[in-house]
Amino acid sequence: METLEQIVARGLGADGINAMVAAFYRRVAGDDLLGPMYPAEDMEGAEERLADFLRFRLLGDPVYQFKRGHPRLRMRHMPFAIGEAERDRWMDLMVAAMEETGVSAEVKEVLVPFFAQVADFMRNR
Ligand code: HEM
């Protein structure tokens, strides 16, 4: 059985992660629920942080750790009110970004549950 990391390395790669995250942030910027939560003046920075994190977590690329240290994702999301609606919208936008950038069914099959688990863990209300 291949692991999540092996499937992503073989089927998506760094370029695929970057394209997916860019498509995700194009959607976030115009989203009525999530858009206002993100720093309008630093959407490029936000995009870079998520792409760096995913290349770190899924491909072992150390850049995120050099720049940001330990991810501490739950703590870093505490300033934002994240309930079921925000969690579900985040997932909707990420699934749409995967479809837009042609992420394969095989990669989606492992990435969607991964994102769903992390997104649910970020709920703080
Ligand atoms: C559940 C719904 C979620 C909401 C509403 C949300 C919202 C946000 C917001 C507003 C930020 C600050 C933007 C910035 O970097 O300046 C952020 C940062 C971040 N989010 Fe989320 N997020 C969610 C789920 C997730 C998930 C599922 C992941 C990972 C799979 C994730 C990974 C990150 C990372 C890596 C950062 C940057 C952390 C850092 O400062 O280094 N988020 N998120």
Side-chain angles (χ1 to χ4, degrees):
M1 265 290 277
E2 265 186 313
T3 63
L4 161 69
E5 292 81 0
Q6 288 167 332
I7 293 169
V8 169
R10 182 172 53 69
L12 191 61
D15 291 347
I17 289 176
N18 294 342
M20 176 181 77
V21 171
F24 174 74
Y25 274 103
R26 283 196 294 276
R27 287 168 192 272
V28 165
D31 189 78
D32 60 341
L33 186 61
L34 298 191
M37 298 169 72
Y38 286 81
E41 71 297 341
D42 189 28
M43 285 305 269
E44 279 177 26
E47 178 180 329
E48 184 177 292
R49 286 185 281 278
L50 181 58
D52 284 351
F53 170 76
L54 292 175
R55 283 185 279 95
F56 166 63
R57 172 62 184 79
L58 299 168
L59 302 176
D61 172 349
V63 164
Y64 179 85
Q65 245 182 357
F66 290 149
K67 292 182 185 166
R68 308 291 291 166
H70 190 286
R72 298 178 202 285
L73 280 193
R74 215 181 123 71
M75 188 197 78
R76 282 183 165 142
H77 285 77
M78 282 301 175
F80 315 111
I82 303 179
E84 288 183 12
E86 290 78 12
R87 174 199 67 190
D88 292 347
R89 185 67 61 86
W90 194 101
M91 285 302 302
D92 288 348
L93 299 186
M94 186 55 85
V95 168
M98 288 187 207
E99 274 155 23
E100 179 188 330
T101 56
V103 174
S104 71
E106 184 198 21
V107 170
K108 252 189 270 174
E109 197 181 313
V110 292
L111 265 192
V112 170
F114 163 74
F115 282 135
Q117 192 179 13
V118 180
D120 191 57
F121 185 58
M122 292 308 139
R123 268 191 308 121
N124 49 34
R125 57 142 73 174

